Amino acid sequence: MMTRLTPDMIKDVPEDKIDLDTRLMQAAGKTVKGIALEAAGLPEDTDLSGFKVAVVPITSGLGIISGFSASVDAIVKRLGMDSHVTQGTDVNGFTEAVREGADIIMMADDNMFIAYNVREMRETDNSWGTARGYAVALKNAAGGLEGKKVLVIGAGMVGSWAVRFLMDMGADVYVTDIVYEKAERLSQYGAKPLRDVSKAISENTLLLNAAPFIIPGEIIAEGSIFSSPGVPHYFDQVGRSRAKAIIHDPLEIGAAVMAVNSAGYSIKKE
Ligand code: 2YJ
């Protein structure tokens, strides 16, 4: 299941009122761009200014989310890329983007949110980008994950990508889900499934929360680091005081990784 964003969740994104870079610097020592570059396997000093990005509003299904295209556009601009929202929507907007020479086209319906690299004909999707960005953020916040226990909460699309990335980072990965069988399936990637969700959370201090689950503060261990893309996002007073860091934003880290990874397909060919 994919959570649908609401205008209220993303209202602070275009103007960056949450000041994500400052928060990420405090928690992980990197900016959004720094995390996205690492996630895409690109050097820290990569210049992205040559890329033309078009964001296409999509009306199908439940339709336009007010502020969504503007948020993606602002996120891409903050990475130093050239970006705009197309005038047309759907196929009209896509055609407009191709004709004006966009390098990367970003668009989302109710099920998929992709960045499409027009020249390389390759797509990067939001579940991949979100998992990768939040795994890299957790790694930086923890000072490396080699040999460390990490718990992934939620064995959906983001959780299952996160398991693979965390395994690649050398972590000792555990996974839990309210539907145990979903967690169990991720043992194919080397993660160890845990049946008792609350116990698993209380016994771990490095957590990647990819579940639409409000975690009660009483079960959070002192000094925990949460990399938490899951929405709804809410930590109570007890949880916030016990956690050492809570990394979260409604859209930006995932979308930034998508855009930068998409650019990476062209850069790595040069
Ligand atoms: O173009 C628009 O305004 C809409 N068609 C955007 C739809 C955005 N898509 C969603 O909210 C998806 N359910 C998933 C987004 C994934 C965010 N992590």
Side-chain angles (χ1 to χ4, degrees):
M1 192 203 72
M2 213 176 230
T3 311
R4 183 170 168 85
L5 297 168
T6 62
D8 191 58
M9 282 179 203
I10 55 175
K11 67 178 185 329
D12 292 337
V13 179
E15 288 166 60
D16 193 23
K17 291 205 188 104
I18 57 177
D19 197 7
L20 189 57
D21 273 345
T22 304
R23 290 182 187 217
L24 279 176
M25 280 303 292
Q26 277 166 5
K30 285 206 175 198
T31 60
V32 179
K33 186 178 178 182
I35 283 171
L37 286 167
E38 185 179 337
L42 293 168
E44 263 176 60
D45 59 354
T46 305
D47 177 13
L48 299 168
S49 64
F51 286 92
K52 283 179 67 177
V53 178
V55 183
V56 181
I58 301 292
T59 66
S60 77
L62 295 170
I64 302 280
I65 296 172
S66 173
F68 180 80
S69 293
S71 293
V72 175
D73 179 56
I75 289 164
V76 171
K77 285 196 175 94
R78 287 201 274 276
L79 295 167
M81 296 165 125
D82 177 359
S83 176
H84 79 288
V85 178
T86 57
Q87 218 121 64
T89 65
D90 307 299
V91 181
N92 273 316
F94 185 87
T95 308
E96 186 186 320
V98 171
R99 288 185 183 163
E100 70 198 10
D103 301 302
I104 296 168
I105 299 176
M106 296 184 73
M107 54 190 174
D109 66 10
D110 298 340
N111 299 309
M112 285 288 266
F113 174 22
I114 63 162
Y116 181 64
N117 182 318
V118 181
R119 304 192 196 297
E120 301 308 320
M121 296 184 283
R122 294 185 71 174
E123 53 82 24
T124 305
D125 87 79
N126 182 256
S127 299
W128 186 95
T130 302
R132 191 132 178 118
Y134 278 83
V136 166
L138 183 63
K139 184 192 126 193
N140 281 278
L145 292 176
E146 190 69 52
K148 294 182 188 170
K149 273 180 75 180
V150 176
L151 177 69
V152 174
I153 307 161
M157 295 288 280
V158 174
S160 90
W161 277 119
V163 160
R164 282 169 266 182
F165 300 143
L166 295 164
M167 290 294 301
D168 289 345
M169 291 168 181
D172 182 16
V173 183
Y174 290 76
V175 59
T176 192
D177 194 291
I178 46 168
V179 182
Y180 178 68
E181 291 66 35
K182 287 177 70 186
E184 212 174 18
R185 259 177 251 145
L186 300 187
S187 61
Q188 67 180 301
Y189 304 118
K192 296 167 199 128
L194 296 173
R195 205 178 279 275
D196 187 334
V197 176
S198 299
K199 186 164 178 278
I201 293 169
S202 66
E203 289 175 351
N204 278 279
T205 54
L206 296 175
L207 308 99
L208 197 147
N209 175 34
F213 170 48
I214 308 281
I215 302 169
E218 300 82 59
I219 67 169
I220 293 174
E222 194 72 43
S224 291
I225 299 175
F226 279 89
S227 195
S228 192
V231 279
H233 172 82
Y234 177 77
F235 282 80
D236 62 28
Q237 191 55 53
V238 178
R240 274 176 296 175
S241 67
R242 289 193 184 173
K244 183 176 166 206
I246 299 170
I247 298 164
H248 173 78
D249 82 273
L251 182 66
E252 186 146 1
I253 293 175
V257 173
M258 290 164 66
V260 175
N261 189 70
S262 194
Y265 291 135
S266 300
I267 295 168
K268 287 170 190 170
K269 277 198 57 173
E270 278 166 12

